[in-house]
PDB file of all heavy atoms in Angstrom:
ATOM      1  N   ASN A   1      -6.796  -4.945 173.895  1.00 97.00           N
ATOM      2  CA  ASN A   1      -6.008  -6.043 173.318  1.00 97.00           C
ATOM      3  C   ASN A   1      -5.804  -7.218 174.264  1.00 97.00           C
ATOM      4  O   ASN A   1      -5.665  -8.345 173.834  1.00 97.00           O
ATOM      5  CB  ASN A   1      -4.653  -5.522 172.826  1.00 97.00           C
ATOM      6  CG  ASN A   1      -4.784  -4.613 171.651  1.00 97.00           C
ATOM      7  OD1 ASN A   1      -5.804  -4.569 170.972  1.00 97.00           O
ATOM      8  ND2 ASN A   1      -3.726  -3.859 171.387  1.00 97.00           N
ATOM      9  N   ASN A   2      -5.742  -6.927 175.558  1.00 97.00           N
ATOM     10  CA  ASN A   2      -5.372  -7.979 176.516  1.00 97.00           C
ATOM     11  C   ASN A   2      -6.527  -8.554 177.322  1.00 97.00           C
ATOM     12  O   ASN A   2      -6.420  -9.688 177.798  1.00 97.00           O
ATOM     13  CB  ASN A   2      -4.307  -7.456 177.473  1.00 97.00           C
ATOM     14  CG  ASN A   2      -2.988  -7.242 176.774  1.00 97.00           C
ATOM     15  OD1 ASN A   2      -2.267  -8.180 176.509  1.00 97.00           O
ATOM     16  ND2 ASN A   2      -2.699  -5.994 176.418  1.00 97.00           N
ATOM     17  N   PHE A   3      -7.614  -7.810 177.498  1.00 97.00           N
ATOM     18  CA  PHE A   3      -8.651  -8.271 178.424  1.00 97.00           C
ATOM     19  C   PHE A   3     -10.047  -8.384 177.828  1.00 97.00           C
ATOM     20  O   PHE A   3     -10.913  -9.050 178.414  1.00 97.00           O
ATOM     21  CB  PHE A   3      -8.679  -7.361 179.658  1.00 97.00           C
ATOM     22  CG  PHE A   3      -7.326  -7.227 180.311  1.00 97.00           C
ATOM     23  CD1 PHE A   3      -6.767  -5.990 180.507  1.00 97.00           C
ATOM     24  CD2 PHE A   3      -6.611  -8.339 180.696  1.00 97.00           C
ATOM     25  CE1 PHE A   3      -5.516  -5.852 181.088  1.00 97.00           C
ATOM     26  CE2 PHE A   3      -5.360  -8.220 181.270  1.00 97.00           C
ATOM     27  CZ  PHE A   3      -4.811  -6.984 181.465  1.00 97.00           C
ATOM     28  N   ASP A   4     -10.309  -7.764 176.695  1.00 97.00           N
ATOM     29  CA  ASP A   4     -11.608  -7.869 176.054  1.00 97.00           C
ATOM     30  C   ASP A   4     -11.620  -9.145 175.200  1.00 97.00           C
ATOM     31  O   ASP A   4     -11.511  -9.097 173.976  1.00 97.00           O
ATOM     32  CB  ASP A   4     -11.898  -6.636 175.208  1.00 97.00           C
ATOM     33  CG  ASP A   4     -13.300  -6.633 174.624  1.00 97.00           C
ATOM     34  OD1 ASP A   4     -14.140  -7.433 175.060  1.00 97.00           O
ATOM     35  OD2 ASP A   4     -13.545  -5.818 173.712  1.00 97.00           O
ATOM     36  N   LYS A   5     -11.768 -10.286 175.854  1.00 96.00           N
ATOM     37  CA  LYS A   5     -11.604 -11.574 175.199  1.00 96.00           C
ATOM     38  C   LYS A   5     -12.612 -11.829 174.092  1.00 96.00           C
ATOM     39  O   LYS A   5     -12.295 -12.459 173.100  1.00 96.00           O
ATOM     40  CB  LYS A   5     -11.700 -12.706 176.247  1.00 96.00           C
ATOM     41  CG  LYS A   5     -10.628 -12.619 177.329  1.00 96.00           C
ATOM     42  CD  LYS A   5      -9.248 -12.684 176.767  1.00 96.00           C
ATOM     43  CE  LYS A   5      -8.198 -12.642 177.889  1.00 96.00           C
ATOM     44  NZ  LYS A   5      -6.855 -12.493 177.388  1.00 96.00           N
ATOM     45  N   ASP A   6     -13.834 -11.331 174.234  1.00 96.00           N
ATOM     46  CA  ASP A   6     -14.833 -11.551 173.188  1.00 96.00           C
ATOM     47  C   ASP A   6     -14.899 -10.412 172.171  1.00 96.00           C
ATOM     48  O   ASP A   6     -15.692 -10.469 171.214  1.00 96.00           O
ATOM     49  CB  ASP A   6     -16.212 -11.803 173.798  1.00 96.00           C
ATOM     50  CG  ASP A   6     -16.695 -10.689 174.689  1.00 96.00           C
ATOM     51  OD1 ASP A   6     -16.065  -9.620 174.731  1.00 96.00           O
ATOM     52  OD2 ASP A   6     -17.726 -10.878 175.359  1.00 96.00           O
ATOM     53  N   GLY A   7     -14.086  -9.373 172.356  1.00 96.00           N
ATOM     54  CA  GLY A   7     -13.982  -8.288 171.377  1.00 96.00           C
ATOM     55  C   GLY A   7     -15.221  -7.460 171.215  1.00 96.00           C
ATOM     56  O   GLY A   7     -15.416  -6.837 170.157  1.00 96.00           O
ATOM     57  N   ASP A   8     -16.053  -7.367 172.254  1.00 97.00           N
ATOM     58  CA  ASP A   8     -17.296  -6.613 172.134  1.00 97.00           C
ATOM     59  C   ASP A   8     -17.184  -5.160 172.611  1.00 97.00           C
ATOM     60  O   ASP A   8     -18.167  -4.432 172.621  1.00 97.00           O
ATOM     61  CB  ASP A   8     -18.441  -7.322 172.885  1.00 97.00           C
ATOM     62  CG  ASP A   8     -18.235  -7.395 174.382  1.00 97.00           C
ATOM     63  OD1 ASP A   8     -17.152  -7.002 174.874  1.00 97.00           O
ATOM     64  OD2 ASP A   8     -19.177  -7.847 175.067  1.00 97.00           O
ATOM     65  N   GLY A   9     -15.988  -4.728 173.021  1.00 97.00           N
ATOM     66  CA  GLY A   9     -15.794  -3.349 173.473  1.00 97.00           C
ATOM     67  C   GLY A   9     -16.266  -3.091 174.884  1.00 97.00           C
ATOM     68  O   GLY A   9     -16.293  -1.959 175.343  1.00 97.00           O
ATOM     69  N   VAL A  10     -16.606  -4.168 175.584  1.00 97.00           N
ATOM     70  CA  VAL A  10     -17.094  -4.090 176.957  1.00 97.00           C
ATOM     71  C   VAL A  10     -16.363  -5.138 177.778  1.00 97.00           C
ATOM     72  O   VAL A  10     -16.228  -6.285 177.346  1.00 97.00           O
ATOM     73  CB  VAL A  10     -18.613  -4.332 177.034  1.00 97.00           C
ATOM     74  CG1 VAL A  10     -19.085  -4.375 178.481  1.00 97.00           C
ATOM     75  CG2 VAL A  10     -19.348  -3.274 176.265  1.00 97.00           C
ATOM     76  N   LEU A  11     -15.904  -4.753 178.974  1.00 98.00           N
ATOM     77  CA  LEU A  11     -15.323  -5.734 179.893  1.00 98.00           C
ATOM     78  C   LEU A  11     -16.452  -6.286 180.731  1.00 98.00           C
ATOM     79  O   LEU A  11     -17.106  -5.555 181.475  1.00 98.00           O
ATOM     80  CB  LEU A  11     -14.273  -5.070 180.788  1.00 98.00           C
ATOM     81  CG  LEU A  11     -13.004  -4.597 180.136  1.00 98.00           C
ATOM     82  CD1 LEU A  11     -12.129  -3.863 181.145  1.00 98.00           C
ATOM     83  CD2 LEU A  11     -12.250  -5.736 179.509  1.00 98.00           C
ATOM     84  N   SER A  12     -16.694  -7.583 180.611  1.00 97.00           N
ATOM     85  CA  SER A  12     -17.726  -8.218 181.430  1.00 97.00           C
ATOM     86  C   SER A  12     -17.176  -8.406 182.855  1.00 97.00           C
ATOM     87  O   SER A  12     -15.969  -8.267 183.095  1.00 97.00           O
ATOM     88  CB  SER A  12     -18.085  -9.576 180.836  1.00 97.00           C
ATOM     89  OG  SER A  12     -16.985 -10.470 180.953  1.00 97.00           O
ATOM     90  N   ALA A  13     -18.056  -8.751 183.773  1.00 96.00           N
ATOM     91  CA  ALA A  13     -17.631  -9.012 185.140  1.00 96.00           C
ATOM     92  C   ALA A  13     -16.591 -10.121 185.194  1.00 96.00           C
ATOM     93  O   ALA A  13     -15.624 -10.046 185.963  1.00 96.00           O
ATOM     94  CB  ALA A  13     -18.842  -9.364 186.015  1.00 96.00           C
ATOM     95  N   GLU A  14     -16.761 -11.140 184.341  1.00 96.00           N
ATOM     96  CA  GLU A  14     -15.798 -12.245 184.289  1.00 96.00           C
ATOM     97  C   GLU A  14     -14.466 -11.808 183.745  1.00 96.00           C
ATOM     98  O   GLU A  14     -13.413 -12.206 184.255  1.00 96.00           O
ATOM     99  CB  GLU A  14     -16.378 -13.397 183.433  1.00 96.00           C
ATOM    100  CG  GLU A  14     -17.587 -14.064 184.004  1.00 96.00           C
ATOM    101  CD  GLU A  14     -18.899 -13.296 183.796  1.00 96.00           C
ATOM    102  OE1 GLU A  14     -18.959 -12.399 182.891  1.00 96.00           O
ATOM    103  OE2 GLU A  14     -19.849 -13.538 184.554  1.00 96.00           O
ATOM    104  N   GLU A  15     -14.472 -10.971 182.702  1.00 97.00           N
ATOM    105  CA  GLU A  15     -13.219 -10.468 182.135  1.00 97.00           C
ATOM    106  C   GLU A  15     -12.486  -9.589 183.139  1.00 97.00           C
ATOM    107  O   GLU A  15     -11.252  -9.665 183.261  1.00 97.00           O
ATOM    108  CB  GLU A  15     -13.496  -9.690 180.852  1.00 97.00           C
ATOM    109  CG  GLU A  15     -13.917 -10.561 179.673  1.00 97.00           C
ATOM    110  CD  GLU A  15     -14.424  -9.791 178.482  1.00 97.00           C
ATOM    111  OE1 GLU A  15     -15.039  -8.702 178.656  1.00 97.00           O
ATOM    112  OE2 GLU A  15     -14.220 -10.260 177.345  1.00 97.00           O
ATOM    113  N   ILE A  16     -13.226  -8.777 183.881  1.00 97.00           N
ATOM    114  CA  ILE A  16     -12.618  -7.925 184.893  1.00 97.00           C
ATOM    115  C   ILE A  16     -12.012  -8.749 186.014  1.00 97.00           C
ATOM    116  O   ILE A  16     -10.861  -8.518 186.425  1.00 97.00           O
ATOM    117  CB  ILE A  16     -13.663  -6.931 185.469  1.00 97.00           C
ATOM    118  CG1 ILE A  16     -14.048  -5.912 184.390  1.00 97.00           C
ATOM    119  CG2 ILE A  16     -13.145  -6.234 186.703  1.00 97.00           C
ATOM    120  CD1 ILE A  16     -15.259  -5.051 184.751  1.00 97.00           C
ATOM    121  N   ALA A  17     -12.733  -9.749 186.497  1.00 96.00           N
ATOM    122  CA  ALA A  17     -12.265 -10.587 187.591  1.00 96.00           C
ATOM    123  C   ALA A  17     -11.025 -11.369 187.231  1.00 96.00           C
ATOM    124  O   ALA A  17     -10.195 -11.698 188.100  1.00 96.00           O
ATOM    125  CB  ALA A  17     -13.374 -11.534 188.046  1.00 96.00           C
ATOM    126  N   ALA A  18     -10.831 -11.659 185.932  1.00 96.00           N
ATOM    127  CA  ALA A  18      -9.673 -12.420 185.494  1.00 96.00           C
ATOM    128  C   ALA A  18      -8.388 -11.609 185.470  1.00 96.00           C
ATOM    129  O   ALA A  18      -7.283 -12.183 185.381  1.00 96.00           O
ATOM    130  CB  ALA A  18      -9.949 -12.994 184.098  1.00 96.00           C
ATOM    131  N   VAL A  19      -8.475 -10.298 185.575  1.00 97.00           N
ATOM    132  CA  VAL A  19      -7.284  -9.439 185.517  1.00 97.00           C
ATOM    133  C   VAL A  19      -6.605  -9.393 186.890  1.00 97.00           C
ATOM    134  O   VAL A  19      -7.074  -8.742 187.804  1.00 97.00           O
ATOM    135  CB  VAL A  19      -7.631  -8.016 185.047  1.00 97.00           C
ATOM    136  CG1 VAL A  19      -6.386  -7.142 185.004  1.00 97.00           C
ATOM    137  CG2 VAL A  19      -8.294  -8.046 183.684  1.00 97.00           C
ATOM    138  N   THR A  20      -5.503 -10.112 187.006  1.00 97.00           N
ATOM    139  CA  THR A  20      -4.734 -10.109 188.257  1.00 97.00           C
ATOM    140  C   THR A  20      -3.366  -9.461 188.066  1.00 97.00           C
ATOM    141  O   THR A  20      -2.681  -9.211 189.043  1.00 97.00           O
ATOM    142  CB  THR A  20      -4.536 -11.553 188.764  1.00 97.00           C
ATOM    143  OG1 THR A  20      -3.868 -12.322 187.753  1.00 97.00           O
ATOM    144  CG2 THR A  20      -5.887 -12.197 189.103  1.00 97.00           C
ATOM    145  N   GLU A  21      -3.004  -9.177 186.819  1.00 97.00           N
ATOM    146  CA  GLU A  21      -1.687  -8.620 186.535  1.00 97.00           C
ATOM    147  C   GLU A  21      -1.769  -7.613 185.400  1.00 97.00           C
ATOM    148  O   GLU A  21      -2.416  -7.863 184.377  1.00 97.00           O
ATOM    149  CB  GLU A  21      -0.738  -9.760 186.149  1.00 97.00           C
ATOM    150  CG  GLU A  21       0.657  -9.327 185.833  1.00 97.00           C
ATOM    151  CD  GLU A  21       1.562 -10.528 185.569  1.00 97.00           C
ATOM    152  OE1 GLU A  21       1.479 -11.530 186.267  1.00 97.00           O
ATOM    153  OE2 GLU A  21       2.352 -10.418 184.602  1.00 97.00           O
ATOM    154  N   LEU A  22      -1.141  -6.459 185.596  1.00 97.00           N
ATOM    155  CA  LEU A  22      -0.974  -5.467 184.531  1.00 97.00           C
ATOM    156  C   LEU A  22       0.502  -5.195 184.399  1.00 97.00           C
ATOM    157  O   LEU A  22       1.148  -4.762 185.365  1.00 97.00           O
ATOM    158  CB  LEU A  22      -1.690  -4.161 184.868  1.00 97.00           C
ATOM    159  CG  LEU A  22      -3.208  -4.119 184.755  1.00 97.00           C
ATOM    160  CD1 LEU A  22      -3.731  -2.771 185.217  1.00 97.00           C
ATOM    161  CD2 LEU A  22      -3.659  -4.377 183.338  1.00 97.00           C
ATOM    162  N   ASN A  23       1.047  -5.442 183.231  1.00 97.00           N
ATOM    163  CA  ASN A  23       2.471  -5.215 182.980  1.00 97.00           C
ATOM    164  C   ASN A  23       2.578  -4.196 181.866  1.00 97.00           C
ATOM    165  O   ASN A  23       2.623  -4.547 180.690  1.00 97.00           O
ATOM    166  CB  ASN A  23       3.138  -6.533 182.615  1.00 97.00           C
ATOM    167  CG  ASN A  23       4.642  -6.441 182.676  1.00 97.00           C
ATOM    168  OD1 ASN A  23       5.197  -5.399 182.990  1.00 97.00           O
ATOM    169  ND2 ASN A  23       5.305  -7.535 182.379  1.00 97.00           N
ATOM    170  N   ILE A  24       2.610  -2.925 182.230  1.00 96.00           N
ATOM    171  CA  ILE A  24       2.597  -1.815 181.250  1.00 96.00           C
ATOM    172  C   ILE A  24       3.835  -0.951 181.425  1.00 96.00           C
ATOM    173  O   ILE A  24       3.756   0.246 181.528  1.00 96.00           O
ATOM    174  CB  ILE A  24       1.288  -1.004 181.353  1.00 96.00           C
ATOM    175  CG1 ILE A  24       0.942  -0.716 182.808  1.00 96.00           C
ATOM    176  CG2 ILE A  24       0.156  -1.758 180.693  1.00 96.00           C
ATOM    177  CD1 ILE A  24      -0.308   0.064 183.023  1.00 96.00           C
ATOM    178  N   ASP A  25       4.971  -1.596 181.442  1.00 96.00           N
ATOM    179  CA  ASP A  25       6.259  -0.952 181.620  1.00 96.00           C
ATOM    180  C   ASP A  25       6.665  -0.199 180.352  1.00 96.00           C
ATOM    181  O   ASP A  25       6.614  -0.755 179.248  1.00 96.00           O
ATOM    182  CB  ASP A  25       7.294  -2.060 181.921  1.00 96.00           C
ATOM    183  CG  ASP A  25       8.642  -1.537 182.323  1.00 96.00           C
ATOM    184  OD1 ASP A  25       9.034  -0.448 181.885  1.00 96.00           O
ATOM    185  OD2 ASP A  25       9.323  -2.213 183.112  1.00 96.00           O
ATOM    186  N   ALA A  26       7.014   1.068 180.493  1.00 96.00           N
ATOM    187  CA  ALA A  26       7.552   1.904 179.396  1.00 96.00           C
ATOM    188  C   ALA A  26       6.639   1.935 178.172  1.00 96.00           C
ATOM    189  O   ALA A  26       7.058   1.705 177.056  1.00 96.00           O
ATOM    190  CB  ALA A  26       8.953   1.415 179.013  1.00 96.00           C
ATOM    191  N   CYS A  27       5.373   2.244 178.392  1.00 95.00           N
ATOM    192  CA  CYS A  27       4.394   2.295 177.306  1.00 95.00           C
ATOM    193  C   CYS A  27       4.004   3.728 176.905  1.00 95.00           C
ATOM    194  O   CYS A  27       3.282   3.914 175.946  1.00 95.00           O
ATOM    195  CB  CYS A  27       3.135   1.542 177.703  1.00 95.00           C
ATOM    196  SG  CYS A  27       3.384  -0.232 177.890  1.00 95.00           S
ATOM    197  N   GLY A  28       4.438   4.732 177.671  1.00 97.00           N
ATOM    198  CA  GLY A  28       4.064   6.105 177.372  1.00 97.00           C
ATOM    199  C   GLY A  28       2.721   6.511 177.919  1.00 97.00           C
ATOM    200  O   GLY A  28       2.109   7.471 177.446  1.00 97.00           O
ATOM    201  N   ILE A  29       2.232   5.796 178.909  1.00 98.00           N
ATOM    202  CA  ILE A  29       0.917   6.076 179.504  1.00 98.00           C
ATOM    203  C   ILE A  29       1.000   7.260 180.441  1.00 98.00           C
ATOM    204  O   ILE A  29       1.905   7.349 181.265  1.00 98.00           O
ATOM    205  CB  ILE A  29       0.372   4.824 180.241  1.00 98.00           C
ATOM    206  CG1 ILE A  29       0.138   3.696 179.234  1.00 98.00           C
ATOM    207  CG2 ILE A  29      -0.876   5.130 181.040  1.00 98.00           C
ATOM    208  CD1 ILE A  29      -0.193   2.370 179.853  1.00 98.00           C
ATOM    209  N   SER A  30       0.044   8.179 180.326  1.00 98.00           N
ATOM    210  CA  SER A  30      -0.004   9.369 181.186  1.00 98.00           C
ATOM    211  C   SER A  30      -1.093   9.293 182.227  1.00 98.00           C
ATOM    212  O   SER A  30      -1.069  10.031 183.212  1.00 98.00           O
ATOM    213  CB  SER A  30      -0.243  10.617 180.332  1.00 98.00           C
ATOM    214  OG  SER A  30       0.815  10.785 179.427  1.00 98.00           O
ATOM    215  N   ASP A  31      -2.080   8.410 182.044  1.00 98.00           N
ATOM    216  CA  ASP A  31      -3.243   8.366 182.914  1.00 98.00           C
ATOM    217  C   ASP A  31      -3.727   6.925 183.043  1.00 98.00           C
ATOM    218  O   ASP A  31      -4.089   6.305 182.055  1.00 98.00           O
ATOM    219  CB  ASP A  31      -4.346   9.254 182.315  1.00 98.00           C
ATOM    220  CG  ASP A  31      -5.556   9.416 183.231  1.00 98.00           C
ATOM    221  OD1 ASP A  31      -5.638   8.756 184.266  1.00 98.00           O
ATOM    222  OD2 ASP A  31      -6.439  10.211 182.858  1.00 98.00           O
ATOM    223  N   LEU A  32      -3.756   6.409 184.286  1.00 98.00           N
ATOM    224  CA  LEU A  32      -4.235   5.060 184.506  1.00 98.00           C
ATOM    225  C   LEU A  32      -5.671   5.040 185.038  1.00 98.00           C
ATOM    226  O   LEU A  32      -6.088   4.069 185.685  1.00 98.00           O
ATOM    227  CB  LEU A  32      -3.307   4.309 185.468  1.00 98.00           C
ATOM    228  CG  LEU A  32      -2.084   3.669 184.835  1.00 98.00           C
ATOM    229  CD1 LEU A  32      -1.226   2.947 185.867  1.00 98.00           C
ATOM    230  CD2 LEU A  32      -2.472   2.722 183.721  1.00 98.00           C
ATOM    231  N   THR A  33      -6.431   6.095 184.783  1.00 98.00           N
ATOM    232  CA  THR A  33      -7.849   6.076 185.138  1.00 98.00           C
ATOM    233  C   THR A  33      -8.478   4.867 184.448  1.00 98.00           C
ATOM    234  O   THR A  33      -8.258   4.630 183.280  1.00 98.00           O
ATOM    235  CB  THR A  33      -8.551   7.377 184.693  1.00 98.00           C
ATOM    236  OG1 THR A  33      -7.946   8.468 185.363  1.00 98.00           O
ATOM    237  CG2 THR A  33     -10.036   7.326 184.960  1.00 98.00           C
ATOM    238  N   GLY A  34      -9.252   4.134 185.200  1.00 97.00           N
ATOM    239  CA  GLY A  34      -9.844   2.879 184.736  1.00 97.00           C
ATOM    240  C   GLY A  34      -9.286   1.702 185.469  1.00 97.00           C
ATOM    241  O   GLY A  34      -9.886   0.628 185.532  1.00 97.00           O
ATOM    242  N   ILE A  35      -8.095   1.864 186.075  1.00 98.00           N
ATOM    243  CA  ILE A  35      -7.479   0.783 186.832  1.00 98.00           C
ATOM    244  C   ILE A  35      -8.341   0.386 188.017  1.00 98.00           C
ATOM    245  O   ILE A  35      -8.279  -0.758 188.483  1.00 98.00           O
ATOM    246  CB  ILE A  35      -6.036   1.172 187.265  1.00 98.00           C
ATOM    247  CG1 ILE A  35      -5.272  -0.079 187.641  1.00 98.00           C
ATOM    248  CG2 ILE A  35      -6.064   2.177 188.385  1.00 98.00           C
ATOM    249  CD1 ILE A  35      -3.811   0.162 187.823  1.00 98.00           C
TER     250      ILE A  35
END
């Protein structure tokens, strides 16, 4: 929802490089594998 800007199900190198902040407070996440 937040980083796949073109909606293709793949994070491109540009989309990955643009991620400088993750704000996932109180979301019920058990595993941050992929960070």
Side-chain angles (χ1 to χ4, degrees):
N1 292 343
N2 291 282
F3 307 124
D4 185 13
K5 300 300 182 189
D6 57 9
D8 65 353
V10 175
L11 293 175
S12 67
E14 294 79 19
E15 289 170 327
I16 292 169
V19 179
T20 58
E21 180 176 318
L22 285 176
N23 194 0
I24 46 180
D25 189 330
C27 293
I29 296 172
S30 299
D31 187 353
L32 276 180
T33 298
I35 198 169

